[in-house]
Amino acid sequence: MLTDEKFVIKGLGGQKKLKGKISTPGAKNAVLKVLAASLLFSDEVTLTNVPEIEDVKRMLELLEDLGVVVEKKAAETYRLITKDILTYEISTTISKHLRSSIVLTGPLLGRLGRVTFPHPGGCVIGKRPIDFFIDSFKALGAEIKDTGAGYDIKVNKKLTGTEIFFKNISVTATENFMMAGVLASGTTVLKNVALEPEIISLGEFLNECGAKISGLGTSEITIIGGGLLSGKNKVYSTIPDRIAAGSFIILGALAGEKMEVTNCEPKHLESLLFLLKSAGIKLEVKKNSVIVYGAESKPQAVDIKTHEYPGFPTDLQAPMAVLLTQSSGQSFIFETIFEGRLNYLETFFRMEADVKIIDAHRAFISGPNKLIGKDMTSPDLRAGLAYILAGVIAKGESVVHNVYYVDRGYENIEKHLQNLGVDIKRV
Ligand code: EPZ
């Protein structure tokens, strides 16, 4: 797991010479939830275009621990047999490495009438409370016990459908209670829900397998409860990872001569593409790919304000900040979703970028400034990728530690980057 592997990168020192294509993997934040949704199925679920990343391996381990039989049918294709779910206890050792394991609680409670799980580990991007989950389980008729080590949630018979209003928009809370509603009795109405494409993809697949979910893509989702679903002869094809694609497009703007990001869904990247165009980046948007002409672009400063979808994604804030260090003028970053997601900027300061952190949510970046290669330790997976991007454009050698964090969300990242001409080694 957390090995002491690291990436050693020889920087381009500002040259823009990366060339070629990089393919977009299946979306981590889509596939993790469809894997969890397998607990809603009486028989089986098959998934394709599954990225080979650590978070998927952890989720599969958690599901096997619960009694799911996992068969790897081919590269990126898995079949899960979900006939016998043996326990309601979510493994503590595995779930502490996977914050998104929280989305197992809704399906498990719906199916078995009980679930126990540890207090989810916060992470460096914020304390990441789960109050919406606890309040919503109570609203659905469950009894919550805080055992100190974690929660023990029970409901006699079934969850009872009800109306739930989310105080803040929450991606995993939306997904978790959409899934819980599938097995609840009666109708569940979720209000002020998130609109992410991964949620729509999950809901549409569940409907294909017998669920009755309406309102997908709007701020109000209605689920008419029924029984377990059937996945026989059904296949979930994971949608492209818009955050991975966006990170690669930003790499193209930073260091590409001409780079094509393939197998992506540009419709899921409108806020990034709009911002890059307004920053003066030359792009060609095709049906399922984006071509970036970095060498022909002179980036101008732009302000970014992170926002729930379809606004600018918080997961692209750190990669975008690398571009802002190379943009002419002063840019303002306003991170509205998480309170701990600007700390990585201190590392850019050490690389001689001109950054000023105002408070937990706001920072200024002025440029352009040549970055100097440094020794860096990634605090989370998105900042980890931003450190790699910074290392690629810096002058001299950079080392990025805590490779596990990057491997959580990006498969074989160094191989993809080597194919473009990046001098990066995993040691
Ligand atoms: C999902 O996290 C993603 N993770 C995150 O991606 C992403 O950054 C985030 O959505 C926002 O887009 C997965 O889908 C696995 P939230 P999630 O609940 O659902 C607060 C990555 O790198 N909140 O939408 O956990 C919360 O603290 C990850 O792939 C409560 O207060 O985020 C935050 O301030 C990082 N109480 C805000 O809501 C709750 O019960 C939005 O968080 C739940 C959340």
Side-chain angles (χ1 to χ4, degrees):
M1 300 279 238
L2 287 169
T3 59
D4 53 4
E5 279 186 321
K6 56 196 176 195
F7 288 126
V8 176
I9 305 162
K10 281 214 176 1
L12 295 172
Q15 297 169 61
K16 297 190 170 184
K17 55 179 222 179
L18 302 184
K19 280 199 289 286
K21 298 183 180 196
I22 183 164
S23 177
T24 307
K28 163 175 97 79
N29 291 347
V31 74
L32 289 176
K33 295 31 171 310
V34 177
L35 287 169
S38 67
L39 297 170
L40 301 171
F41 288 71
S42 62
D43 46 13
E44 61 174 83
V45 202
T46 299
L47 299 89
T48 61
N49 196 32
V50 176
E52 303 288 345
I53 53 177
E54 291 302 322
D55 275 12
V56 165
K57 292 176 190 157
R58 293 302 82 73
M59 183 59 89
L60 290 171
E61 288 163 8
L62 279 170
L63 289 167
E64 284 179 315
D65 195 68
L66 293 168
V68 175
V69 173
V70 175
E71 294 171 358
K72 184 162 187 180
K73 308 305 284 178
E76 307 190 336
T77 302
Y78 291 85
R79 177 167 173 254
L80 277 58
I81 315 292
T82 57
K83 283 193 180 59
D84 307 312
I85 304 305
L86 309 173
T87 171
Y88 53 74
E89 293 181 5
I90 295 176
S91 152
T92 303
T93 42
I94 310 170
S95 61
K96 71 172 185 290
H97 288 284
L98 187 67
R99 151 119 193 136
S100 49
S101 55
I102 188 83
V103 297
L104 288 164
T105 58
L108 213 45
L109 185 64
R111 178 161 182 163
L112 298 184
R114 188 167 183 186
V115 62
T116 61
F117 59 99
H119 289 294
C123 60
V124 282
I125 63 176
K127 53 186 188 314
R128 308 196 71 186
I130 58 162
D131 49 327
F132 304 167
F133 291 79
I134 301 305
D135 299 347
S136 303
F137 278 132
K138 279 185 193 145
L140 289 163
E143 203 187 295
I144 317 275
K145 216 165 86 202
D146 186 336
T147 60
Y151 291 102
D152 183 351
I153 304 183
K154 273 188 274 207
V155 63
N156 46 22
K157 296 200 291 298
K158 296 174 99 172
L159 293 169
T160 309
T162 185
E163 190 170 291
I164 294 171
F165 184 88
F166 292 114
K167 179 168 63 110
N168 286 352
I169 290 176
S170 162
V171 172
T172 45
T174 300
E175 292 158 335
N176 190 59
F177 291 95
M178 180 165 76
M179 292 190 272
V182 169
L183 297 181
S185 62
T187 299
T188 302
V189 182
L190 305 178
K191 297 188 166 189
N192 196 24
V193 299
L195 307 176
E196 269 65 3
E198 294 78 24
I199 298 172
I200 297 170
S201 174
L202 168 67
E204 286 175 344
F205 179 63
L206 297 182
N207 279 343
E208 258 178 65
C209 301
K212 296 184 188 64
I213 301 168
S214 55
L216 289 168
T218 75
S219 59
E220 183 170 313
I221 290 177
T222 300
I223 308 104
I224 299 174
L228 291 174
L229 306 176
S230 169
K232 223 157 194 52
N233 312 320
K234 297 275 187 331
V235 177
Y236 175 73
S237 176
T238 311
I239 59 172
D241 192 317
R242 61 193 167 91
I243 305 302
S247 308
F248 299 150
I249 290 167
I250 292 170
L251 172 64
L254 280 165
E257 181 189 314
K258 177 185 171 187
M259 246 180 71
E260 183 168 9
V261 179
T262 59
N263 296 325
C264 67
E265 177 47 87
K267 279 206 305 290
H268 295 163
L269 283 161
E270 285 185 330
S271 58
L272 173 70
L273 297 175
F274 176 85
L275 210 60
L276 290 177
K277 281 180 196 149
S278 59
I281 306 301
K282 191 162 179 282
L283 299 165
E284 192 182 333
V285 181
K286 298 162 76 173
K287 191 171 171 315
N288 288 108
S289 74
V290 174
I291 303 176
V292 202
Y293 299 89
E296 295 171 47
S297 307
K298 248 197 80 37
Q300 303 304 309
V302 284
D303 296 343
I304 53 174
K305 174 180 172 185
T306 65
H307 192 278
E308 293 86 358
Y309 192 86
F312 189 81
T314 173
D315 294 346
L316 283 178
Q317 183 248 108
M320 187 67 191
V322 183
L323 184 61
L324 299 180
T325 66
Q326 304 307 304
S327 304
S328 308
Q330 183 181 70
S331 304
F332 176 53
I333 298 181
F334 187 8
E335 167 56 58
T336 68
I337 308 284
F338 291 109
E339 69 279 2
R341 211 164 195 183
L342 291 176
N343 306 330
Y344 69 90
L345 285 172
E346 265 126 37
T347 301
F348 287 6
F349 183 76
R350 286 196 299 117
M351 297 178 89
E352 299 187 11
D354 178 348
V355 299
K356 281 184 215 57
I357 298 182
I358 312 295
D359 61 23
H361 291 276
R362 297 176 299 171
F364 283 109
I365 295 184
S366 298
N369 285 291
K370 191 177 278 296
L371 301 186
I372 310 299
K374 287 282 182 242
D375 200 273
M376 311 177 245
T377 301
S378 36
D380 69 78
L381 79 100
R382 305 302 177 187
L385 188 92
Y387 287 176
I388 291 174
L389 299 184
V392 168
I393 64 168
K395 186 166 172 295
E397 181 175 281
S398 293
V399 178
V400 180
H401 297 275
N402 269 359
V403 163
Y404 177 79
Y405 281 118
V406 178
D407 290 339
R408 282 188 49 201
Y410 300 93
E411 59 178 23
N412 305 324
I413 186 74
E414 75 275 17
K415 289 194 179 41
H416 285 298
L417 297 182
Q418 286 158 1
N419 292 343
L420 293 169
V422 175
D423 182 344
I424 178 171
K425 282 193 285 303
R426 178 191 291 253
V427 297

